[in-house]
Amino acid sequence: MGRFLVVRGGGERVWSLPGGLVAHAEHPERAVVRTVSEQTGLTVSVDRLRSVVADVDADAGDGVSMHTDRLLFEMTVRGDVPEVTGGGTVEGRWVSPEAATELPLTPFSAELLGLPVVPLPADAYPSVEPLPASHPDRRLRFGAYGLVTDPAGRILLTQIADGYPGAGKWHLPGGGTDHGEQPTVGLLRELVEEGGQVGRVVELLGVDNLHNPAALGPEGRPLDWHGVRVIYRVLVDVPTDAVVTESAGGSTARAGWFTAADTADLPLTGIAASAIGQLGS
């Protein structure tokens, strides 16, 4: 492994991989390019999505327990690799793996880099400002979805129930993760609830971004929805009849196993059509 870039904000003692928050309706790949540029002055491009992890800060202030989903990308600096200029309030540093072991790193950064995860000092972070109030008609939903297949090559799909955006279309199994839940754990839970199957995650395929500024669902009024959806390959080694097991009133009407040829005649959601298309690539 060569050198990699770490940053820290003003008043912080802990170092982290560069990046930041995804803006409303912004694709995560565009967000990471933007935030890295803002922090470091570098022009970068995304190579691939490397990992997706969740962590919980049990003491985020005012008694709040904050869940954060992190998408970790491998990136390349375009052109020469200059020294980091920073964005005024951010310090950046190129470090070797050996030098990084001497730095206090955020847990997700250390884990991704294959370095020991160690407790951080109590004063590693300065006091933070409370998060701004969310817009009443905006929703951000992070979810994990699966391109689920069995040993015969069949594909498991779920049909969206009436009253939900995309009703009647066939969709990838999966959904929003719960507080404190890792994406792969949430996906395998949804697989049981929506299809009655026990699977295993074998590969991270990528991330899908959905923005629907007037989604009409069970809330009864149009909402500005932003969905960030990571997609995994999942294998079901011992398939059974597809059965929806979640409680009545959920977003899944039914589930079924289909051959790749069968799916050509189904009304598919965009994410399902894109994921199924990867099987033939």
Side-chain angles (χ1 to χ4, degrees):
M1 181 188 296
R3 296 191 307 164
F4 48 85
L5 181 63
V6 292
V7 298
R8 66 179 178 182
E12 295 180 355
R13 294 178 56 191
V14 64
W15 294 84
S16 176
L17 296 175
L21 297 177
V22 177
H24 184 72
E26 185 178 35
H27 194 292
E29 291 185 2
R30 296 192 186 96
V32 72
V33 169
R34 172 183 57 79
T35 55
V36 170
S37 176
E38 291 171 353
Q39 290 178 333
T40 67
L42 297 175
T43 301
V44 294
S45 59
V46 173
D47 295 330
R48 70 182 180 104
L49 180 61
R50 172 77 174 273
S51 181
V52 184
V53 297
D55 54 63
V56 174
D57 181 355
D59 187 18
D62 296 328
V64 173
S65 175
M66 184 165 65
H67 173 117
T68 303
D69 295 298
R70 303 183 191 274
L71 283 74
L72 308 172
F73 295 91
E74 288 184 2
M75 309 189 74
T76 299
V77 178
R78 293 182 180 176
D80 296 333
V81 182
E83 290 305 313
V84 178
T85 60
T89 60
V90 175
E91 178 184 359
R93 183 184 297 181
W94 291 101
V95 295
S96 66
E98 294 77 17
T101 61
E102 304 299 321
L103 297 176
L105 291 170
T106 56
F108 79 88
S109 300
E111 183 177 357
L112 181 69
L113 297 170
L115 300 174
V117 177
V118 299
L120 296 174
D123 59 350
Y125 297 101
S127 59
V128 296
E129 297 294 327
L131 293 173
S134 60
H135 192 286
D137 289 328
R138 281 184 177 176
R139 297 289 187 275
L140 171 62
R141 189 170 191 251
F142 176 87
Y145 291 81
L147 177 58
V148 181
T149 57
D150 70 359
R154 295 184 303 169
I155 303 164
L156 182 70
L157 296 173
T158 59
Q159 190 176 44
I160 300 173
D162 291 341
Y164 289 84
K169 291 187 177 181
W170 290 90
H171 196 29
L172 297 181
T177 55
D178 291 339
H179 183 82
E181 190 173 50
Q182 292 294 334
T184 52
V185 173
L187 170 55
L188 296 181
R189 170 183 54 77
E190 292 276 357
L191 182 58
V192 172
E193 294 174 355
E194 295 185 343
Q197 308 298 310
V198 176
R200 55 188 176 94
V201 174
V202 296
E203 183 184 4
L204 174 60
L205 295 178
V207 58
D208 174 83
N209 192 71
L210 172 70
H211 178 223
N212 186 341
L216 185 60
E219 297 82 7
R221 71 183 193 280
L223 296 176
D224 188 352
W225 271 96
H226 179 200
V228 175
R229 308 179 294 185
V230 291
I231 310 167
Y232 296 89
R233 274 295 305 271
V234 179
L235 293 180
V236 174
D237 296 302
V238 184
T240 59
D241 290 340
V243 178
V244 180
T245 64
E246 65 180 336
S247 59
S251 60
T252 303
R254 57 184 174 137
W257 287 103
F258 300 93
T259 67
D262 291 336
T263 65
D265 297 323
L266 295 177
L268 300 173
T269 62
I271 187 175
S274 176
I276 292 170
Q278 294 186 47
L279 286 174
S281 61

